[in-house]
């Protein structure tokens, strides 16, 4: 991937911009908690090959190779930042896709800035969890990645995400990123920020104007599929539950994910929609 850097709001952030720069349908991909651009390794190249699509992915501040200042990483902060990022690149309006934490940010972006989000793609968004939810066992096993002292310990923690092994290269990259100054603090702050943010309940979701695609793995043990219910009730949402798939459909079943997302982004709205 051809990585680039851009200063937005005083923060230096890493991103990729793939496909035709003149693509009529830009698509922004946002990773989940502890993720980075590499989370979309099986998606960026394939989606960028699709006619009309311009694919942009970034390391959210606090993650990957973007700046990690000591601050409060709230959902509102990320929404404001992504709005600035989209405007800086001149890519708005655009389709916005987010996984887990990224999905929470994407949905709130669609609510706060409908002029920016033309299509919304959510993959197991964390904001759907009720206030009473104190975290799944898988989530707390995953958080142990912060205490990992070796690549092998990272592999064990990442296994908890979907009860599936990760390869050495992915684990090494994660280990190196978490070793960066400020990375662990940002992880915990972003986790707390998502938990404290307003819930994506029926009332808030009714404010989303963009056509929405919701993807959820039936075998998700991080954020179980039963939390998809509020999205099923959205007027303008298409919900797909994927079999044999965990918390990261874009990694577990990339071919299916890429096809569903590309078709949705390129799909023209009905005149009477």
């Amino acid at each position: 991937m051809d990585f680039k850097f851009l200063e937005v709001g005083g923060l230096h952030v890493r991103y990729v911009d793939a496909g035709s720069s003149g693509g009529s349908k830009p698509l922004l991909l946002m990773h989940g908690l502890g993720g980075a651009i590499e989370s979309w390794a099986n998606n960026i190249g394939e989606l960028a090959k699709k006619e009309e699509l311009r694919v942009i992915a970034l390391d959210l501040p606090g993650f990957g190779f973007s700046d990690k200042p000591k601050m409060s990483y709230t959902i509102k902060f990320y929404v404001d930042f992504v709005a600035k990022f989209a405007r800086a690149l001149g890519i708005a309006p655009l389709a916005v896709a987010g996984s887990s934490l990224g999905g929470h940010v994407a949905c709130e972006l669609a609510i706060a800035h409908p002029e920016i989000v033309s299509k919304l793609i959510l993959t197991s968004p964390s904001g759907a969890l009720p206030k009473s939810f104190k975290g799944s066992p898988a989530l707390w096993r995953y958080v142990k990645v912060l205490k990992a002292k070796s690549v092998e310990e990272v592999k064990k923690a990442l296994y908890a995400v979907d009860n599936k092994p990760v390869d050495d290269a992915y684990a090494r990259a994660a280990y190196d990123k978490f070793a960066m100054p400020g990375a662990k603090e940002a992880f915990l702050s972003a986790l707390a920020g998502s938990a404290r943010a307003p819930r994506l309940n029926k009332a808030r979701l009714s404010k989303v104007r963009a056509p929405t695609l919701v993807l959820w793995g039936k075998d998700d043990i991080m954020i179980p599929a039963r939390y998809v219910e509020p999205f099923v009730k959205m007027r303008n949402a298409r919900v797909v539950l994927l079999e044999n798939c965990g918390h990261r459909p874009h990694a577990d079943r990339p071919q299916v994910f890429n096809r569903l997302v590309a078709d949705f982004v390129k799909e023209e709205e009905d005149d009477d929609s």
Side-chain angles (χ1 to χ4, degrees), residues 21 36 89 104 106 117 131 207:
S21 61
L89 284 184
H104 194 170
V117 182
K131 285 290 187 182
K207 298 178 181 180

Side-chain angles (χ1 to χ4, degrees), residues 100-120:
S100 199
L101 173 69
H104 194 170
V105 175
C107 196
E108 289 292 351
L109 180 70
I111 293 171
H113 297 283
E115 77 283 1
I116 289 178
V117 182
S118 59
K119 293 278 184 80
L120 180 63

Side-chain angles (χ1 to χ4, degrees), residues 74-76 104 108 127 129 131 192-200:
T74 64
I75 295 299
K76 184 181 185 305
H104 194 170
E108 289 292 351
L129 297 167
K131 285 290 187 182
S194 179
R196 293 169 182 161
R199 299 297 84 193
L200 295 176

Side-chain angles (χ1 to χ4, degrees), residues 28-208:
L28 175 65
L29 303 175
M30 293 192 290
H31 60 78
L33 182 69
I37 291 170
E38 286 81 1
S39 300
W40 306 100
N42 296 322
N43 316 110
I44 293 171
E46 289 304 311
L47 286 169
K49 292 178 183 177
K50 306 295 184 182
E51 186 179 354
E52 301 179 69
L53 293 189
R54 174 184 176 186
V55 184
I56 301 102
L58 80 159
D59 289 342
L60 291 169
F63 299 102
F65 287 90
S66 290
D67 282 349
K68 304 168 182 62
K70 185 177 181 180
M71 57 171 289
S72 185
Y73 290 90
T74 64
I75 295 299
K76 184 181 185 305
F77 159 74
Y78 281 124
V79 167
D80 292 344
F81 175 84
V82 175
K84 292 176 184 175
F85 176 80
R87 291 180 180 127
L89 284 184
I91 52 178
L94 75 162
V96 179
S99 168
S100 199
L101 173 69
H104 194 170
V105 175
C107 196
E108 289 292 351
L109 180 70
I111 293 171
H113 297 283
E115 77 283 1
I116 289 178
V117 182
S118 59
K119 293 278 184 80
L120 180 63
I121 300 105
L122 305 175
T123 303
S124 306
S126 57
L129 297 167
K131 285 290 187 182
S132 58
F133 184 79
K134 301 304 179 184
S136 61
L139 172 62
W140 297 118
R141 290 196 299 269
Y142 174 48
V143 171
K144 290 181 179 179
V145 73
L146 301 180
K147 296 182 179 180
K149 293 181 172 57
S150 67
V151 173
E152 280 304 312
E153 289 184 11
V154 168
K155 289 179 70 174
K156 289 179 181 178
L158 295 182
Y159 180 90
V161 175
D162 280 322
N163 282 337
K164 295 178 181 178
V166 299
D167 61 40
D168 290 341
Y170 187 89
R172 164 58 67 180
Y175 179 78
D176 290 342
K177 289 186 179 72
F178 281 122
M180 293 180 180
K184 295 176 182 178
E185 293 81 2
F187 180 105
L188 292 173
S189 180
L191 176 60
S194 179
R196 293 169 182 161
R199 299 297 84 193
L200 295 176
N201 54 26
K202 182 179 179 181
R204 290 191 62 70
L205 291 174
S206 68
K207 298 178 181 180
V208 176

